[in-house]
Amino acid sequence: MFSFRRHIILFVFCFFAATGILAQSITDAPDYNAYYKRDLRNKQKSIIYQHVRENDVIWETLIWRTINIKEKFNQYFYYPLEPKGVQGRKNFAYMIWDAVVANEIPIYEDDEFKILLDNDNYVKRYTRPDTLELEIIDENEEYEYKTIVVPKEFNSEDILNIKLKEVVYQEKQTAGQYVRTIGLALVRDMYKEIDGEREYQGTVTLFWIPMLSERVQNLFAQREAYYEDNIAHLPSWEYIFYVRMFSSYITRESNRFNRTIDSYLTGEDALLESERIEQKLFEINVDQWEM
């Protein structure tokens, strides 16, 4: 009798243990791509920047830059192209878009951060399906028209440029020049079907992100960039921008006319103007040390 009861108890225990194992969700399953638990990045806090007093800023200017992410040095912004990422890492555009969809970061229409956009409405508008009217010829060679709905999704391959708004300033206490990125925007190339051919129409800025927002800083601190030197210790996106690990060119400096370089110069002249501004910033920094 005692042996029979013991077997019953053992059977019930094994049954519930097996049920518990089978009931585990996929998210509870072990990560077979990693031989150790990778969770340090998710606990990473953003960089604490030095407090700046107004009286200590002796000079400053605003600079707008563009990062071309198809340049070889910047390609880690562009890859991987898979929307779900590779090895837990996503490219820069998908990282930003997923955060917008999840309402993790605020977005603005302008780089002055005065027109706040509603994330849900923006995502719904951006992914609104397109309707196409097709001309169909039936067996009797008669024409009929059929309207079809084409789904539309965010595609990181459309994002080839990133805009930055920065403040460059000289600080009196350390006699040094510093740069703080205060705004970032994704820029999309636009095309239009004309006579069956896809023609380039220019670029459009999707939205601006306030880089001084604590929510944005934490997001950038907790997401890795796939920089191939050592995948065991990949840099965060916050670190990428902190040490300025990218190639870019200046498109505008704060001026009385509030105009961009390409509004008054084109081609090689615009490039030379961009380089002139870079040189001016360098010389101001050198002159500060010589004072």
Side-chain angles (χ1 to χ4, degrees):
M1 182 68 178
F2 177 75
S3 178
F4 175 75
R5 182 178 300 172
R6 184 173 61 184
H7 281 83
I8 291 294
I9 294 173
L10 181 61
F11 172 78
V12 172
F13 175 79
C14 292
F15 173 78
F16 281 107
T19 304
I21 294 174
L22 293 175
Q24 282 185 337
S25 65
I26 295 177
T27 56
D28 295 330
D31 182 5
Y32 294 112
N33 292 307
Y35 61 95
Y36 57 88
K37 188 175 181 181
R38 299 175 182 267
D39 60 355
L40 291 178
R41 178 62 65 195
N42 294 329
K43 300 176 182 178
Q44 186 71 33
K45 299 297 183 181
S46 62
I47 298 171
I48 300 177
Y49 291 90
Q50 178 183 356
H51 174 68
V52 180
R53 297 193 313 148
E54 183 178 0
N55 288 341
D56 290 336
V57 178
I58 58 177
W59 175 86
E60 74 174 12
T61 187
L62 290 174
I63 296 292
W64 285 259
R65 296 180 178 274
T66 293
I67 302 174
N68 181 352
I69 62 177
K70 290 303 292 291
E71 286 187 17
K72 186 175 182 179
F73 185 79
N74 297 328
Q75 284 184 351
Y76 62 91
F77 281 86
Y78 188 73
Y79 294 101
L81 295 176
E82 292 80 359
K84 294 183 179 180
V86 175
Q87 298 175 358
R89 305 177 188 93
K90 297 184 178 182
N91 68 28
F92 187 78
Y94 277 128
M95 185 268 291
I96 294 294
W97 181 254
D98 290 347
V100 171
V101 173
N103 276 290
E104 294 180 0
I105 58 175
I107 57 175
Y108 289 80
E109 183 176 317
D110 61 320
D111 62 5
E112 294 289 329
F113 308 114
K114 293 180 179 179
I115 307 175
L116 179 65
L117 298 174
D118 181 87
N119 290 36
D120 294 334
N121 289 338
Y122 184 88
V123 171
K124 188 181 298 183
R125 185 173 71 250
Y126 189 91
T127 58
R128 183 181 298 138
D130 293 328
T131 56
L132 297 179
E133 194 172 82
L134 299 181
E135 185 179 299
I136 301 174
I137 304 176
D138 60 17
E139 297 177 352
N140 300 323
E141 296 187 354
E142 294 182 355
Y143 292 90
E144 64 174 308
Y145 296 92
K146 183 179 180 180
T147 300
I148 63 172
V149 177
V150 181
K152 186 179 178 184
E153 297 181 355
F154 180 83
N155 186 355
S156 71
E157 295 183 58
D158 295 331
I159 309 299
L160 299 181
N161 292 290
I162 298 169
K163 287 183 179 180
L164 299 181
K165 180 182 179 182
E166 302 173 332
V167 58
V168 183
Y169 65 95
Q170 297 280 353
E171 204 265 340
K172 181 169 58 177
Q173 296 296 329
T174 61
Q177 185 181 98
Y178 300 93
V179 181
R180 289 291 301 273
T181 304
I182 58 179
L184 180 148
L186 299 182
V187 182
R188 177 186 176 185
D189 282 1
M190 298 296 293
Y191 295 87
K192 187 176 182 180
E193 292 287 340
I194 300 178
D195 297 331
E197 295 184 0
R198 194 166 180 250
E199 294 191 8
Y200 178 72
Q201 300 294 306
T203 62
V204 59
T205 302
L206 300 190
F207 46 75
W208 281 90
I209 300 169
M211 294 293 285
L212 298 185
S213 163
E214 183 178 354
R215 292 160 62 186
V216 175
Q217 290 175 350
N218 287 333
L219 174 73
F220 278 48
Q222 296 171 3
R223 298 294 187 274
E224 293 177 329
Y226 195 84
Y227 205 75
E228 297 176 344
D229 288 346
N230 181 3
I231 65 172
H233 299 283
L234 292 172
S236 68
W237 285 111
E238 182 181 42
Y239 180 80
I240 292 291
F241 286 98
Y242 181 73
V243 300
R244 309 184 64 73
M245 196 186 300
F246 53 82
S247 172
S248 66
Y249 57 93
I250 293 177
T251 59
R252 175 183 166 193
E253 182 186 19
S254 53
N255 58 85
R256 70 172 69 92
F257 305 109
N258 198 31
R259 61 183 182 177
T260 59
I261 292 176
D262 61 8
S263 67
Y264 60 93
L265 291 173
T266 58
E268 185 177 351
D269 291 333
L271 179 60
L272 292 174
E273 177 69 2
S274 175
E275 293 176 352
R276 183 195 66 79
I277 297 173
E278 290 277 16
Q279 182 64 24
K280 185 185 76 170
L281 297 177
F282 173 76
E283 291 175 356
I284 290 175
N285 187 30
V286 172
D287 291 345
Q288 177 68 17
W289 284 99
E290 293 179 350
M291 290 176 61

